[in-house]
């Protein structure tokens, strides 16, 4: 390690007992100061830690006076002798020592910052975003940025060792057709024409496979001009990967290995082997394509055990091929009326739209109580409970609706119960594959099959036979990695065959002209010998967020944008001169 | 290493004698085939190498027929037994063995490609750019991309070990003031406002220093909307670095170390310690701020030895404080009239604009011949020659003009002579620092001092005293790294002090309003305790180009743009719908 000794011989996180007696120089920020009688103590902070500086009025009054005048966040350089502390601080790695300062220089003064540089800061999010450069001084934020860097390092270590070549693809490209809206960049040299920023390097990485690069990766900035509801950013980071001469299993093994490597390197956690959960099972048991499996609580079908009563709700659902199903909330039999009402409101909320919630409480005393007491005898209710493994002390909550809605609502309710009942061990990790996604999905309005992924995703070879007769039955060679209920990877085996690609374009209803305009160069490339290939992309921001224990991806992005797409610190986007617009051939509306 | 054995057990570059007798599966591209009597030989190619497949008409006629029908660039999968070759190929790492194929599958057919996949291809640049995915199949291009990846790996290895944290800064930012034109991105959510793509992360990396990140790096895509004369690209890659609590020496030591590390890792070359050449010496001796020091041939001042003649050209130049200077071309005394004329045309070309070239030839036979025979005696000419170390067999070429022009012209002529005379050892490396750049330069037209760098570059502390009285004398704490006559790094110690920064803005003539609009958030940030800091950025494309022995940076950029800023392969930039424009609030002029 190169060292320079002008501004510092050590960082503020480095000194221990073995340095006692040596003279050192430290630089950093004045984090906190305390005057105690004739002594002044200063916590000097840098990214590496905090070291205590000591000034003594008796031995050096001028220096001590100078130290007392230092404001918060002043940048200083101090020299002195490392000394054992009389009262040690076990909370600090440097807490055994302090520096008796004999030389002090103010490198830069500071105005009083708008909030404190502590993990529990007094600054709200808007203020912290406006002064992001100060927000990033907080130890928590610095640790998050370092975690992010360490994860990238572990990712590269693994991929380099596996023979992946890091290739940079361009950011000024042609408008691509991946669903979301492109950010456009007007061209000055060819006024009236536009570049687009990449939504992902999808096409380019497939062309790299055509070019024989074999194994590719890139830590890629991607851009999507979407409305920023939820936890999205207009620019975000993907770990983008592609491999030639592979089947699904090869991709799964490779990136399961990578994920385990990163967990081991960064958190010293040995993840168990990932299960490969078929999409249909994920939907059936958890009502979600990205279930959180840190707790069990499966959705259980009840059609077979709830028939034959006078209960109209069930009978209508059963008659119309709907689904009655429930989840068992262990230990919740004593839920109050108010609590049950809250759950009912939850399932009836507009984004879920269930008609209501039915419950059966199996009390500790052996009695049973239900919102359908009128239609079922206690024995029938006990039998329903037995069929799903609900015992004394448990609550069975039931939804009856169209199958898709029943599963979705119960999937959401499952997560809600986990939150209410603290079912999730905060230190647990649930990481696994969801596989066998459908190639098509029914259009929300017409019910017609529409493509569920990008148009380069290969159908499952076992299901080719249903392509025309029963397209909704066709599985794609498409997969996600799910981490604690978040999709953090999405990928597929791609179509490498020109004829199959043409067929898919036809099913998607692209005209020859549209196909040529949007994918012409790609279709052309595939004429010259494309290898079988597939890959994936990790949503890196989300992965870092999960590992950092953050609440939003903004917590792990150094300079994020707010929900209006604004960078509050830089005040971007901003106005530009008319001249700047004129030379790129556009004007404001 | 994870292996999959469905498509291949080995790559095409891997098999050696020790595998003889084993059954293997390989996949790749049909590179070349030869039919020899009853045998067919196929060179199977992937990124890792070439392996020979053998088909025998006698032992398996059907398979051999199938092999004979394979076209160039077909993608195939072949299994068989590794066998020792009877006639080995010492040119190929796999040349000792071949595969006796017993199973062959065509994974994908290919149309005949528009050029051959060899280093010496028959495709011209435009064709190769249009079919870049095929161009990248050529071994040379694959090696270049792998070299690029290996260099990045070595860079990160070094910087990670030195405690640098990789931080990603945003690409959708505020229009920055770094001299070149910004690419603009209209905002949909705030129509009428624009993001800019970063010309460099300069301001953001300085803010990261304010935030205490201490040591930062990023492999950063940068964007400049400049006319693409010469060897420029609208987007290019920088290795962007910044350090806190450093002086110039610390930055130099750090990145000299990094450069040596990369050379050692990637080329196994031990670079000697870098000289630190003051800018004024670079200009004085080589007429360039990025001299090629793979050969010597300094510019030598002649004012002191050419006075007192009747030669008007010299006398006028001497009288007007100009400069007479020359370079000694060793062994060129027998240059013909035609060769001298060519050199004269070279110095008189419009971009150089010298009035003419004066020569003195010191022949092997001891005679002397000069274009100024009329004004100088042979003895005087010999004395001039002696003063610059020109001996028998040498040619002294002289320019007399204003000092700056004389040095510039001779600097160019020095490079031209090196090219003509093959003075440059192609395996030599010249890497060093140019330091002590001037802070200001005289305006081309007015002669007024204008800023030579970005406005955050710190003056040299020894020269503060001349800031008002003699600004052209002030050195900046600014430096370049020069490699084989190319600037590959540029950097400086930044201003961390608010008052000094304000002073520089004032000298640059920024109004309060302009300063606030362009740098407001940065000036504001510096109020809260900015540490002393400095750094640099490597022009990574150029560095890779030099190490790859390429002619242009396009050779080492996977998907470059042409001089009109067009991506020939994707056909970008392209047209977009009026609707797409309307929603971002602009229309075409």
């Amino acid at each position: 390690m190169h060292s320079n000794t002008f501004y510092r011989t050590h960082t503020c996180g480095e000194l221990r007992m073995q340095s006692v007696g040596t003279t050192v120089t430290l630089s950093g920020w004045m984090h906190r100061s305390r005057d105690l009688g004739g002594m002044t103590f200063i916590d000097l902070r840098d990214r590496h830690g905090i070291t205590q500086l000591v000034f003594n009025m008796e031995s050096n009054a001028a220096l001590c006076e100078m130290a007392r005048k230092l404001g918060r966040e002043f940048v200083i350089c101090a020299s002195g002798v490392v000394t054992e502390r009389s009262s040690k601080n076990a909370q600090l790695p440097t807490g055994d020592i302090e520096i008796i300062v004999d030389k002090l220089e103010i490198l830069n003064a500071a105005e009083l910052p708008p909030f404190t540089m502590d993990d529990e800061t007094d600054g709200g999010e808007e203020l912290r975003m406006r002064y992001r450069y100060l927000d990033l001084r907080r130890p928590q934020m610095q640790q998050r940025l370092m975690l992010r860097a360490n994860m990238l390092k572990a990712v590269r270590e693994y991929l380099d060792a596996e023979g992946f070549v890091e290739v940079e693809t361009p950011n000024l490209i042609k408008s691509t057709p991946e669903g979301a809206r492109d950010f456009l960049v007007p061209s000055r040299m060819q006024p009236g024409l536009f570049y687009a920023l990449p939504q992902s390097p999808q096409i380019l990485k497939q062309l790299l496979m055509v070019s024989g690069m074999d194994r590719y990766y890139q830590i890629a900035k991607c851009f999507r001009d979407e409305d920023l509801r939820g936890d999205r950013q207009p620019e975000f980071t993907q770990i983008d990967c592609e491999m030639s001469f592979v089947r699904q299993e090869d991709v799964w093994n490779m990136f399961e290995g990578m994920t385990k490597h990163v967990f081991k390197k960064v958190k010293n956690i040995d993840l168990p082997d990932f299960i490969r959960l078929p999409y249909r099972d994920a939907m059936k048991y958890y009502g979600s394509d990205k279930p959180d499996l840190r707790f069990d609580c499966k959705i259980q079908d009840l059609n077979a055990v709830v028939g034959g009563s006078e209960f109209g709700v069930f009978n209508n659902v059963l008659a119309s091929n709907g689904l009655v199903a429930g989840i068992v909330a262990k230990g919740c039999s004593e839920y109050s009326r108010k609590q049950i009402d809250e759950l009912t409101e939850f399932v009836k909320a507009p984004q879920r739209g269930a008609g209501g919630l039915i419950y059966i409480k199996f009390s500790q005393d052996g009695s049973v109580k239900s919102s359908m007491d009128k239609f079922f005898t206690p024995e029938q209710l006990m039998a329903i409970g037995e069929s799903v493994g609900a015992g004394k002390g448990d609550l069975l909550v039931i939804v009856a609706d169209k199958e898709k809605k029943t599963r979705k609502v119960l999937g959401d309710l499952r997560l809600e119960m986990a939150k209410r009942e603290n079912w999730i061990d905060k230190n647990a990790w649930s990481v696994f594959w969801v596989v066998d996604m459908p190639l098509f999905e029914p259009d929300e309005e017409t019910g017609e099959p529409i493509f569920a992924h990008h148009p380069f995703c290969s159908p499952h070879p076992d299901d080719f036979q249903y392509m025309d007769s029963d397209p909704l039955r066709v599985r794609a060679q498409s997969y996600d990695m799910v981490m604690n209920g978040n999709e953090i990877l999405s990928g597929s085996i791609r179509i490498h065959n020109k004829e199959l690609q043409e067929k898919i374009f036809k099913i998607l209803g692209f005209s020859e002209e549209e196909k040529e305009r949007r994918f012409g160069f790609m279709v052309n490339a595939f004429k010259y010998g494309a290898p079988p290939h597939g890959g994936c992309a990790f949503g890196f921001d989300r992965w870092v967020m999960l590992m950092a224990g953050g609440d939003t991806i903004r917590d792990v992005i150094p300079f994020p944008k707010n929900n209006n797409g604004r960078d509050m610190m830089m005040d971007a986007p901003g106005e530009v001169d008319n001249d700047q617009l004129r030379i790129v051939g556009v004007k404001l509306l």
Side-chain angles (χ1 to χ4, degrees), chain A residues 343-366:
Chain A
L343 298 185
T344 307
E345 287 313 306
F346 180 84
V347 300
K348 288 167 79 175
Q351 69 271 33
R352 298 186 190 89
L357 187 73
I358 296 140
Y359 68 86
I360 313 179
K361 293 174 174 177
F362 303 93
S363 294
Q364 283 292 0
D365 64 9

Side-chain angles (χ1 to χ4, degrees), chain A residues 515-557:
Chain A
K515 198 185 69 190
E516 180 56 30
R517 185 171 56 81
R518 292 171 70 179
F519 309 102
F521 69 99
M522 182 161 179
V523 172
N524 204 35
F526 273 55
K527 290 178 190 162
Y528 297 104
H533 62 288
C536 61
F538 283 83
F540 185 59
D541 305 295
R542 194 159 304 275
W543 188 8
V544 182
M545 179 196 83
L546 291 172
M547 307 250 321
D551 298 318
T552 100
I553 60 172
R554 289 192 300 280
D555 288 340
V556 296
I557 293 175

Side-chain angles (χ1 to χ4, degrees), chain A residues 279 300 309 333 346 377 423 443 494 517 542 562-563:
Chain A
Y279 172 86
Q300 308 210 50
S309 78
S333 66
F346 180 84
T377 65
W423 287 345
D443 185 278
R494 328 298 182 183
R517 185 171 56 81
R542 194 159 304 275
N562 72 9
N563 276 347

Side-chain angles (χ1 to χ4, degrees), chain A residues 471-499:
Chain A
L472 289 176
R473 184 170 172 179
V474 178
R475 290 167 298 167
Q477 297 197 64
S478 169
Y479 35 82
D480 287 350
M481 189 189 290
V482 176
M483 185 178 289
N484 292 1
N486 293 268
E487 177 208 305
I488 62 151
L489 170 154
S490 183
S492 65
I493 298 297
R494 328 298 182 183
I495 298 168
H496 65 276
N497 176 288
K498 190 162 57 87
E499 287 74 34

Side-chain angles (χ1 to χ4, degrees), chain A residues 286-309:
Chain A
Y286 308 104
S288 166
D289 57 359
K290 44 177 193 285
D292 191 333
L293 300 191
R294 284 177 294 177
F295 61 99
D296 187 15
C297 188
K298 285 194 184 66
I299 296 169
Q300 308 210 50
D301 293 5
L302 298 169
N303 279 11
V305 294
V306 297
S309 78

Side-chain angles (χ1 to χ4, degrees), chain A residues 2 18 22 46 61 108 144 230 242 252 299 331 432 480 505 559:
Chain A
H2 284 94
Q18 56 263 41
T22 61
D46 67 14
N108 216 345
R144 284 170 173 169
E242 198 78 1
W252 298 340
I299 296 169
F432 60 92
D480 287 350
F505 283 144
F559 300 104

